[in-house]
Amino acid sequence: MTLVTELQPPFADTLDTAVAKAGDPAKMAEAFAKAIEAGRLAFEAGLIEPRDMASPSTPVAGTPFFKIDHAS
């Protein structure tokens, strides 16, 4: 199944230009095809269930969010 041919303007025109003007049009077309496939897979995977309150998916207590290097 080729989803690219199913796009309607203005998206089809934008995609055509991006592929046609790329340094390597074949690779650009492949990249767009993979992006479309990835988006479809993500859509089919579905959203997480809504929650009443936010909760971290990984433990963060005692874990720095970033490393600070002090130059001497």
Side-chain angles (χ1 to χ4, degrees):
M1 171 171 56
T2 303
L3 296 176
V4 174
T5 60
E6 297 174 13
L7 292 174
Q8 300 297 318
F11 303 111
D13 295 336
T14 303
L15 178 62
D16 181 54
T17 301
V19 172
K21 293 187 181 263
D24 187 337
K27 283 187 180 179
M28 184 63 76
E30 182 181 356
F32 272 105
K34 288 181 178 182
I36 291 168
E37 181 181 358
R40 184 66 189 174
L41 288 171
F43 172 79
E44 290 173 349
L47 300 174
I48 62 173
E49 293 296 319
R51 300 178 183 175
D52 291 335
M53 294 185 63
S55 62
S57 59
T58 56
V60 293
T63 306
F65 288 96
F66 55 89
K67 182 178 178 183
I68 299 175
D69 291 326
H70 295 285
S72 306

